[in-house]
Amino acid sequence: AQSVTQPDIHITVSEGASLELRCNYSYGATPYLFWYVQSPGQGLQLLLKYFSGDTLVQGIKGFEAEFKRSQSSFNLRKPSVHWSDAAEYFCAVGSISSGSARQLTFGSGTQLTVLP
Amino acid sequence: EAQVTQNPRYLITVTGKKLTVTCSQNMNHEYMSWYRQDPGLGLRQIYYSMNVEVTDKGDVPEGYKVSRKEKRNFPLILESPSPNQTSLYFCASSLSRQDTQYFGPGTRLTVL
C-alpha cells in the first residue's frame, strides 16, 4: 500500500528565509506526486505536481519541488518565504500504473508559521 | 467559474440523526471523492466514484454512504452519525483518476 510521511508536524521560519518541507513516499509502482496548500478555513489548493520528466517541478507562488527516486522523496522548497505563505502543506502520492481507482494518499501535513 | 461546491459549510447535529452533505461540480469531471480531515491524520479518503453509478470504498468508509446518480453530484450520507464522525469533510473532483483534483471549501461537521 502506498503511504506518505511528512516528518515535520510544524515548522517556523522568518519572513524572507528559505523553506524546505520534507515528504517521503512509499510505493512500488511509478508514483505521481502532489503538493497542496491549505490556508486557514480554506480548501486545498494545488501548488505543483510531478508525473514524469524533469525531476525539478515549478509551481505557483514561487514554490518548487524535486523528485528524488533514490530517496523516495519529493521535498517542497521556496527561496524566500512571505508572511502569506503561513498555512498547512500536504504532500500526496498516487500511482500512474496501479489498477486501483483509489486516487491519492495524503501525508499528515506540515503547519508552517512565518515570523515577521 | 469552475468550482466544487459543498453544502452545508457548517453543521452541528446529534447522534443518530441522518444527514446529507451535498457536493456538486460544474467541470464535467468523471472522478469524485470524499475525504475527511482530522488533526495529525491528514486527509483520508472515504469513498470515491469513477463515474455515474460507479462508487467504491476508500480508506475509511464505515458509517458513510454515497451515491452518484448524476455526473455533477456526489452526496455524502451519514445514516446514523456518531461523535467520532465529527470532522472536516472535503469533496474533490477531477477529470480522470490521474488528473489534478479540485477541492471544495469543506464542511465542518460536529456530532454531539
Side-chain angles (χ1 to χ4, degrees):
Chain A
Q2 60 201 49
S3 66
V4 179
T5 302
Q6 293 180 245
D8 304 305
I9 297 172
H10 196 171
I11 283 183
T12 300
V13 299
S14 298
E15 190 168 19
S18 64
L19 171 70
E20 182 169 28
L21 302 182
R22 296 184 290 165
C23 172
N24 293 97
Y25 70 90
S26 172
Y27 197 76
T30 304
Y32 59 99
L33 297 152
F34 299 80
W35 274 101
Y36 283 87
V37 60
Q38 183 180 30
S39 299
Q42 303 295 314
L44 280 78
Q45 180 183 23
L46 180 70
L47 284 176
L48 48 80
K49 61 185 177 183
Y50 170 78
F51 274 32
S52 65
D54 193 344
T55 56
L56 185 62
V57 181
Q58 302 298 319
I60 63 171
K61 304 185 180 185
F63 285 92
E64 66 177 28
E66 186 171 10
F67 171 56
K68 293 186 178 180
R69 185 185 298 274
S70 61
Q71 299 176 18
S72 297
S73 69
F74 189 58
N75 295 347
L76 183 71
R77 300 194 294 250
K78 186 170 185 177
S80 178
V81 170
H82 188 263
W83 64 267
S84 61
D85 293 324
E88 190 159 20
Y89 292 78
F90 292 94
C91 181
V93 63
S95 170
I96 294 172
S97 58
S98 169
S100 169
R102 194 174 305 182
Q103 193 166 10
L104 293 180
T105 298
F106 284 83
S108 55
T110 297
Q111 183 69 46
L112 174 65
T113 297
V114 180
L115 300 176
Chain B
E1 180 189 354
Q3 59 182 348
V4 179
T5 56
Q6 295 178 228
N7 283 293
R9 294 288 313 277
Y10 301 91
L11 179 60
I12 300 174
T13 189
V14 295
T15 299
K17 185 176 181 181
K18 180 179 178 180
L19 66 92
T20 299
V21 183
T22 65
C23 172
S24 183
Q25 51 92 5
N26 62 1
M27 296 171 279
N28 201 35
H29 283 171
E30 302 275 337
Y31 191 102
M32 297 185 75
S33 297
W34 275 103
Y35 296 88
R36 61 178 288 174
Q37 183 181 21
D38 302 290
L41 297 177
L43 279 82
R44 294 177 293 167
Q45 191 178 50
I46 303 170
Y47 269 94
Y48 62 91
S49 169
M50 294 185 71
N51 212 327
V52 174
E53 302 293 0
V54 181
T55 64
D56 207 347
K57 296 177 181 178
D59 296 312
V60 287
E62 292 75 23
Y64 304 95
K65 285 175 57 178
V66 293
S67 69
R68 188 92 181 272
K69 294 185 170 61
E70 306 165 278
K71 197 172 189 178
R72 62 183 292 128
N73 296 323
F74 191 44
L76 179 69
I77 303 157
L78 285 71
E79 295 271 3
S80 183
S82 62
N84 64 12
Q85 292 178 298
T86 292
S87 187
L88 179 58
Y89 291 87
F90 288 100
C91 180
S93 73
S94 59
L95 197 58
S96 71
R97 174 174 69 87
Q98 297 172 349
D99 284 296
T100 302
Q101 286 192 96
Y102 294 87
F103 284 81
T107 295
R108 186 165 292 283
L109 172 66
T110 300
V111 183
L112 302 175

